[in-house]
């Protein structure tokens, strides 16, 4: 199923604490963003790449990817805003939204995600939760959640483009800000998103400690 990849790189990586955007950090001779771009460039049903970066990184990103990305645009204040800007450039009926901060992408997972899109208008990669997750109040533990009912979402997430645009517009009107797009679909449409199994190696670079793990994974 042909799709547009919307690759998000417009954050600042504040939690990692570098004085530059974390997705520009180099691991094994490539910068984090290269891994996602190269994956989608090679994946046969990816027919269009929309790359969303920050104002600050625009010149560097444009010089590096002008020949591989169909659109290179400046993102927004929030991740959700960056997705929305990317969506407005996408041409295909199906879009895959990917956080470039997840540089490891397993092509078998993308195959499965695309298969799921044949029958689902909103789907995500996700992995079972392995830690015990507990609700807290201050520093007190109040309730252990049932692990069998929990799943940790990854990206890419795949959508019917028209549906995603519609829920983004509704979210903007209600001033609702989500950290992922399946949340918007659940809240602002009657579609129930699905998931397919992701890969634990597709971790998100969030803190400095993640660098050492990615050095091994990539
Ligand atoms: N992102 C984006 N536009 C934003 C914020 C985030 O495109 N305004 C992207 C990031 O570049 C990243 C992905 O969304 O690839 C996931 O966000 P996150 O891990 O939170 O990255 P940052 O926001 O850059 O990091 P932090 O929250 O630590 O500042
Ligand atoms: Mg962030």
């Amino acid at each position: 199923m042909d799709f547009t990849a919307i690759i998000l790189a417009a954050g600042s990586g504040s939690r990692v604490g570098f004085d530059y955007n974390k997705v520009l950090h180099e691991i094994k001779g490539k910068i984090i963003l290269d891994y996602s771009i190269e994956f989608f460039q090679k994946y046969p049903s990816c027919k269009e790449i929309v790359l969303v970066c920050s104002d600050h990184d625009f010149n560097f990103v444009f010089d590096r990817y002008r020949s591989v990305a169909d659109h290179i645009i400046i993102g927004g204040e929030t991740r959700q805003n960056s997705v929305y800007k990317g969506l407005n450039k996408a041409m295909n009926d199906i879009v895959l939204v990917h956080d470039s901060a997840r540089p490891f992408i397993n092509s078998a997972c993308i195959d499965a995600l695309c298969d799921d899109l044949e029958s689902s208008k909103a789907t995500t990669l996700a992995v079972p939760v392995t830690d015990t997750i507990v609700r807290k109040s201050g520093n007190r533990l109040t309730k252990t959640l049932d692990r069998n009912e929990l799943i940790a979402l990854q990206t890419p997430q795949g959508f019917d483009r028209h549906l995603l645009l519609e829920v983004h517009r509704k979210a903007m009107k209600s001033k609702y800000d989500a950290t992922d797009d399946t949340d918007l679909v659940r809240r602002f449409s009657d579609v129930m998103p699905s998931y397919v199994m992701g890969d634990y190696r597709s971790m998100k670079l969030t803190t400095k400690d993640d660098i050492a793990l990615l050095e091994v994974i990539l």
Side-chain angles (χ1 to χ4, degrees):
M1 181 170 282
D2 291 351
F3 64 81
T4 295
I6 298 174
I7 301 177
L8 300 175
S12 58
S14 55
R15 284 170 289 178
V16 169
F18 296 142
D19 57 2
Y20 51 90
N21 184 355
K22 65 185 179 183
V23 302
L24 306 184
H25 184 73
E26 196 176 301
I27 292 186
K28 301 226 171 113
K30 289 199 246 183
I31 66 172
I32 294 286
L33 180 54
D34 288 341
Y35 290 92
S36 299
I37 298 282
E38 284 177 15
F39 177 86
F40 286 109
Q41 188 192 355
K42 285 189 205 133
Y43 193 81
S45 25
C46 178
K47 301 298 183 196
E48 184 185 40
I49 292 178
V50 177
L51 174 53
V52 189
C53 70
S54 68
D55 195 5
H56 178 270
D57 298 331
F58 185 82
N59 289 343
F60 173 82
V61 168
F62 186 78
D63 281 349
R64 196 173 181 94
Y65 304 111
R66 64 203 300 173
S67 59
V68 280
D70 298 276
H71 300 279
I72 300 175
I73 60 165
I74 292 172
E77 283 283 296
T78 62
R79 179 189 184 278
Q80 184 172 313
N81 214 229
S82 294
V83 174
Y84 182 69
K85 290 192 171 180
L87 261 180
N88 281 297
K89 294 285 179 197
M91 294 297 291
N92 284 282
D93 287 336
I94 297 292
V95 294
L96 261 58
V97 179
H98 182 60
D99 290 342
S100 66
R102 295 185 189 273
F104 182 87
I105 308 175
N106 178 336
S107 67
C109 291
I110 307 303
D111 296 348
L113 194 73
C114 289
D115 282 352
D116 197 35
L117 282 163
E118 303 279 351
S119 58
S120 176
K121 286 183 166 202
T123 181
T124 182
L125 294 181
V127 287
V129 172
T130 53
D131 293 322
T132 295
I133 309 285
V134 180
R135 212 182 285 285
K136 55 123 178 153
S137 173
N139 74 336
R140 298 290 172 178
L141 306 182
T142 55
K143 185 180 194 292
T144 297
L145 302 180
D146 180 359
R147 218 158 41 192
N148 295 317
E149 288 187 355
L150 298 172
I151 195 93
L153 305 194
Q154 299 185 327
T155 69
Q157 301 187 327
F159 302 91
D160 174 293
R161 175 170 58 90
H162 308 281
L163 170 69
L164 193 57
L165 258 177
E166 186 189 313
V167 296
H168 265 265
R169 290 193 176 126
K170 287 181 178 166
M172 264 189 293
K173 263 195 187 156
S174 335
K175 298 194 185 329
Y176 180 76
D177 190 50
T179 53
D180 94 295
D181 294 283
T182 60
D183 185 8
L184 299 185
V185 170
R186 261 186 297 114
R187 269 170 208 263
F188 296 106
S189 81
D190 52 15
V191 173
M192 189 160 340
S194 54
Y195 79 91
V196 295
M197 202 53 73
D199 185 317
Y200 284 107
R201 292 171 293 180
S202 296
M203 56 179 284
K204 182 159 71 75
L205 169 54
T206 305
T207 66
K208 261 201 181 104
D209 296 334
D210 295 330
I211 299 279
L213 289 170
L214 284 168
E215 298 266 8
V216 177
I217 289 168
L218 292 171

